[in-house]
Amino acid sequence: MPCWYDGPLAAFDTETTGIDVERDRIVSAALVVQETPRSAPRITRWLINPGVEIPEAATEVHGLTADHLARNGRWPAPVLEEIARALAAQAVAGRPLVVMNAPFDLTLLERELKRHRASSLGAYLGGHPLRILDPRVLDKHLDRYRKGRRTLTDLCAHYEVELTDAHEAAADALASLRVVRALGHRYAERLEGLHPAELHTRQAVWYAAQARGLQAWFARSGNPETVDPHWPLRPELPAAA
C-alpha cells in the first residue's frame, strides 16, 4: 500500500471578495481530485455571482470583475449546495482534502452555507469526517525555524512545485496538493507512519501552538491584532446583543 502522500488526495480552494470570513463572499472555487502523483487530476470549477460589489483590491488579486461574474457566474445557493456535496463525497470516499490555510477557506464556506442554505458543512458530511491536510500548518511544524513567508507561492518555490496562474482557484488547489505530496516525501520519516486522521488531529494542536507564537510576537511588536487558534474551522462569532 502506498503512503498517504502517494495515494488519493483532493484539494479545495476559493477566491473571494476579501479576507473577512464573516462578511466576504466566495466568487470562485475549485475541487481537484488526483488518485496518484502521476495520474491526471480531475478538476471541478465553480463561478459565483455573489450579488455584492467586488472590491478593486480583490479583482487585482484574482482578476474577476463584477461584470464578468454577472455574465458568467451562477447564483450562490445552488453552487454552494454543489460544493458542499462535492466535499462530502471526498469524506465518504475517505480521501484526504488539502486546503491551504484551511481556517480561511472552510470558515468562509461555512458562513456562506449558513447565509444561502441555512445549513452547515457538517450537515452535508452526515457524520463522515473530513481529513484536512493544510500545507501551511504542516510546513510550519516540520520546518519551524526556516525564515521567510509561507504563502502558497513561497511553499511552491521551496518544494519545487510549479505554480501557474496563481490566484485562480483550480491552479492554487492543484499546487497545494502537489506541495503536500512533495512535503510528504521530504519528511517521510516523520509522516509516513501517521494516518491522515491522526494528522488532522495533530494539525489542530500544531496550529494552536503556531497561533500562540504569532500572538506573542504581535504583543511584543505592539500589534493589537488577535489570532484565532481554531483549526480547521473558526467558531461562529456570538450575535451582537
Side-chain angles (χ1 to χ4, degrees):
M1 292 290 291
C3 293
W4 60 263
Y5 45 79
D6 281 330
L9 292 177
F12 177 69
D13 187 72
T14 67
E15 297 300 328
T16 68
T17 59
I19 60 173
D20 186 337
V21 297
E22 304 298 336
R23 295 181 176 85
D24 281 305
R25 310 298 177 89
I26 296 172
V27 295
S28 70
L31 177 68
V32 175
V33 178
Q34 187 185 43
E35 301 303 326
T36 72
R38 293 179 177 82
S39 62
R42 304 191 301 273
I43 300 175
T44 305
R45 294 178 172 89
W46 294 275
L47 196 64
I48 298 176
N49 176 7
V52 300
E53 181 182 351
I54 311 299
E56 289 185 9
T59 297
E60 288 175 3
V61 172
H62 49 58
L64 297 171
T65 64
D67 180 63
H68 178 80
L69 292 170
R71 286 185 289 107
N72 300 285
R74 297 162 57 201
W75 289 114
V79 179
L80 291 163
E81 172 88 8
E82 291 175 12
I83 292 172
R85 289 186 180 277
L87 296 191
Q90 307 313 307
V92 171
R95 192 178 287 116
L97 182 68
V98 177
V99 187
M100 174 73 182
N101 192 19
F104 176 77
D105 290 81
L106 294 184
T107 302
L108 185 51
L109 174 61
E110 181 82 354
R111 304 300 188 260
E112 287 277 67
L113 286 168
K114 179 180 179 181
R115 182 179 294 121
H116 295 288
R117 303 296 311 182
S119 189
S120 67
L121 184 56
Y124 287 91
L125 294 176
H128 297 278
L130 279 173
R131 307 304 188 189
I132 305 299
L133 299 172
D134 188 330
R136 188 168 182 268
V137 176
L138 291 169
D139 175 71
K140 288 185 73 174
H141 177 76
L142 294 164
D143 195 3
R144 67 184 67 184
Y145 299 113
R146 187 177 82 249
K147 296 188 181 300
R149 303 175 67 203
R150 302 189 194 231
T151 66
L152 179 58
T153 300
D154 299 318
L155 295 187
C156 285
H158 183 71
Y159 289 100
E160 300 180 341
V161 169
E162 183 180 5
L163 174 59
T164 58
D165 202 9
H167 298 296
E168 191 275 325
D172 285 359
L174 181 58
S176 297
L177 187 152
R178 288 172 170 164
V179 165
V180 165
R181 292 200 189 280
L183 185 151
H185 279 278
R186 184 169 298 190
Y187 297 101
E189 291 186 359
R190 298 169 64 182
L191 293 176
E192 61 185 358
L194 297 174
H195 187 273
E198 185 176 2
L199 263 179
H200 179 103
T201 301
R202 292 194 181 196
Q203 284 171 101
V205 176
W206 297 341
Y207 183 85
Q210 293 162 10
R212 289 194 298 271
L214 181 58
Q215 190 71 76
W217 185 83
F218 281 161
R220 290 194 299 271
S221 59
N223 188 331
E225 184 176 349
T226 58
V227 184
D228 192 313
H230 296 91
W231 181 98
L233 193 65
R234 298 176 191 170
E236 189 171 0
L237 294 177

